[in-house]
Amino acid sequence: MNAREQTFVETLRANNYKLTRARRALIHALAGASKPLTINGLHARAKEIDPKIGLVTVYRTLELLSELDLVRSVHLADECHGYAVSTPGHTHHLICRACHALVEIDGCNLGAFLKEVEQRTGYRITGHWLEFEGLCPKCAEAEK
Amino acid sequence: MNAREQTFVETLRANNYKLTRARRALIHALAGASKPLTINGLHARAKEIDPKIGLVTVYRTLELLSELDLVRSVHLADECHGYAVSTPGHTHHLICRACHALVEIDGCNLGAFLKEVEQRTGYRITGHWLEFEGLCPKCAEAEK
DNA sequence: CTATTTGCAAAGTGTTTGCAGGAGC
DNA sequence: GCTCCTGCAAACACTTTGCAAATAG
């Protein structure tokens, strides 16, 4: 069990949620992922651990984990809904358009641009959402 | 017929697409909008002009207009798929979270940040997607 | 032992496809 | 007149809900 899984388990306990077979399986599937996965992808992975887990449970568990800020949903260009483990704080995502590997970008220096936009438009900006798409070193190499 | 509609019509013609009753209705619905609309919203608006227009045609026409870069899809926080008229070039969107009014932000000074991220990650970044959420002046006023 | 959680089945949404009739050029 | 486009219905995919049985604590 790695550090990520540890956090999941502790957070669930701290909030009085039971640690069931299905939840363990899904947590493991999530914690081991290096890229955002779709609901179906997660279901498939979780099934390897607990073959009985149903798709419905995946939906419900993701909703729960999402409320606890343990996972966060990512919008992929092609398929709208992906889920990835969330690291605390404000981050952005960089996703490889070939293999879908995901890197979290922390430290976001949009501040100045944001202020400029606020002045230009009169809006009060309360949030933003930034995603980068590109090629990871491996895929860039492979494409040559 | 305003300038936007003109562009729509010309682009369709230039690509050998027919200018049908349904397309006119949808174009009008789009061109008059100041905020991104959902499929259903567009369907409702288009129906005011051509009561016979079916939802299916809205889907198909939006797909077409999207291919021609005349509209672009926007991801709203709550409802995933919205469509807005696209102005040419690279822009970002600022959307009021209360009334959904949309402002296009042109001039995007992400360049430096982008380079930094490229160096940090080794990725070659080929695209990005930025959306701001906030309160427009009117709604900010109303909320007091 | 009790309350929560699960899995199944079924209902509900939103989107896409096949096809015959209708409209644009 | 010929082709492209539309509308309908039905198929399809994805997500949510109701409920009885299973299980964690």
Side-chain angles (χ1 to χ4, degrees):
Chain A
M1 181 149 79
N2 66 27
R4 275 176 166 178
E5 280 180 74
Q6 201 84 42
T7 312
F8 276 83
V9 171
E10 278 162 21
T11 309
L12 281 178
R13 254 196 211 118
N15 289 274
N16 282 333
Y17 288 110
K18 294 185 177 170
L19 204 56
T20 63
R21 167 190 274 273
R23 283 180 186 162
R24 276 177 201 282
L26 198 58
I27 286 173
H28 191 79
L30 273 164
S34 66
K35 48 186 94 165
L37 296 169
T38 59
I39 296 262
N40 284 317
L42 282 167
H43 186 208
R45 267 166 155 263
K47 258 197 201 156
E48 289 171 16
I49 303 159
D50 173 10
K52 279 198 315 185
I53 191 172
L55 186 55
V56 183
T57 304
V58 178
Y59 275 101
R60 285 193 277 225
T61 308
L62 282 173
E63 195 188 333
L64 174 64
L65 297 179
S66 183
E67 265 166 32
L68 297 174
D69 267 325
L70 292 169
V71 301
R72 108 187 7 177
S73 72
V74 182
H75 288 240
L76 309 166
D78 37 346
E79 333 179 60
C80 207
H81 292 146
Y83 286 88
V85 179
S86 75
T87 38
H90 176 83
T91 63
H92 296 300
H93 290 149
L94 165 54
I95 297 169
C96 174
R97 68 159 189 252
C99 74
H100 293 128
L102 174 135
V103 181
E104 289 213 319
I105 310 293
D106 43 356
C108 139
N109 67 0
L110 244 51
F113 185 31
L114 224 132
K115 285 225 173 68
E116 187 203 316
V117 172
E118 281 195 321
Q119 286 189 353
R120 215 158 65 193
T121 59
Y123 275 54
R124 185 154 58 80
I125 295 176
T126 56
H128 67 268
W129 181 28
L130 174 61
E131 247 176 58
F132 295 102
E133 190 193 73
L135 281 174
C136 72
K138 259 189 213 163
C139 293
E141 191 56 41
E143 218 173 57
K144 277 173 196 167
Chain B
M1 179 150 80
N2 66 28
R4 274 176 168 179
E5 280 179 75
Q6 202 84 42
T7 311
F8 275 83
V9 171
E10 277 162 21
T11 309
L12 281 178
R13 249 193 217 122
N15 289 274
N16 282 333
Y17 288 109
K18 294 184 179 171
L19 204 55
T20 63
R21 166 188 274 274
R23 283 178 185 164
R24 277 178 202 281
L26 198 57
I27 286 172
H28 191 77
L30 273 165
S34 66
K35 50 184 90 169
L37 295 169
T38 59
I39 296 262
N40 285 316
L42 281 167
H43 185 209
R45 269 167 156 263
K47 257 195 202 158
E48 288 171 17
I49 303 159
D50 173 11
K52 279 198 312 180
I53 191 172
L55 186 55
V56 183
T57 305
V58 177
Y59 275 99
R60 285 194 275 225
T61 308
L62 282 174
E63 195 188 332
L64 174 64
L65 296 179
S66 183
E67 264 166 33
L68 297 174
D69 268 324
L70 293 168
V71 301
R72 111 185 7 177
S73 72
V74 181
H75 287 238
L76 309 166
D78 38 345
E79 334 180 59
C80 207
H81 292 146
Y83 286 88
V85 179
S86 76
T87 39
H90 177 81
T91 64
H92 297 301
H93 289 149
L94 166 54
I95 298 169
C96 175
R97 66 158 191 253
C99 73
H100 294 128
L102 175 135
V103 182
E104 290 213 319
I105 310 293
D106 43 357
C108 139
N109 65 0
L110 243 50
F113 185 31
L114 225 131
K115 284 226 175 69
E116 187 203 316
V117 172
E118 282 195 320
Q119 285 189 352
R120 216 157 62 192
T121 60
Y123 275 54
R124 186 154 55 81
I125 295 177
T126 55
H128 67 268
W129 182 24
L130 175 61
E131 250 177 56
F132 295 103
E133 191 194 71
L135 281 174
C136 72
K138 260 189 211 162
C139 292
E141 191 57 42
E143 218 174 57
K144 281 176 192 166

